[in-house]
Amino acid sequence: MAHLEDRHVARRARADHEAWFGEVEGIDLTLTFLRQKRRETKRLARIAPVDLGIPVITAPR
């Protein structure tokens, strides 16, 4: 995911240099979502998985 962020930062720099303000706004929004997703992924990776056990199928009565 870091390579995606790097590419968007480079695109944003070019868009800013070329004064493509709509593009800058869109890239900023994308970067915000990418960074939120990265934080959420790291947070979820720290949570231990829950053991749900193995389901038992019983015979019909």
Side-chain angles (χ1 to χ4, degrees):
M1 196 176 324
H3 68 283
L4 287 175
E5 186 174 351
D6 293 342
R7 291 177 67 188
H8 279 80
V9 168
R11 280 185 52 204
R12 190 198 185 287
R14 175 154 186 231
D16 193 41
H17 175 58
E18 300 286 341
W20 298 336
F21 300 118
E23 187 73 10
V24 169
E25 186 178 343
I27 293 170
D28 283 346
L29 189 60
T30 300
L31 284 169
T32 299
F33 290 138
L34 276 172
R35 290 168 181 157
Q36 286 175 349
K37 188 58 126 176
R38 178 182 291 147
R39 283 192 300 271
E40 180 70 9
T41 301
K42 286 180 181 179
R43 185 186 72 78
L44 290 174
R46 290 190 303 260
I47 298 172
V50 176
D51 182 15
L52 299 177
I54 299 174
V56 178
I57 300 174
T58 58
R61 294 181 192 191

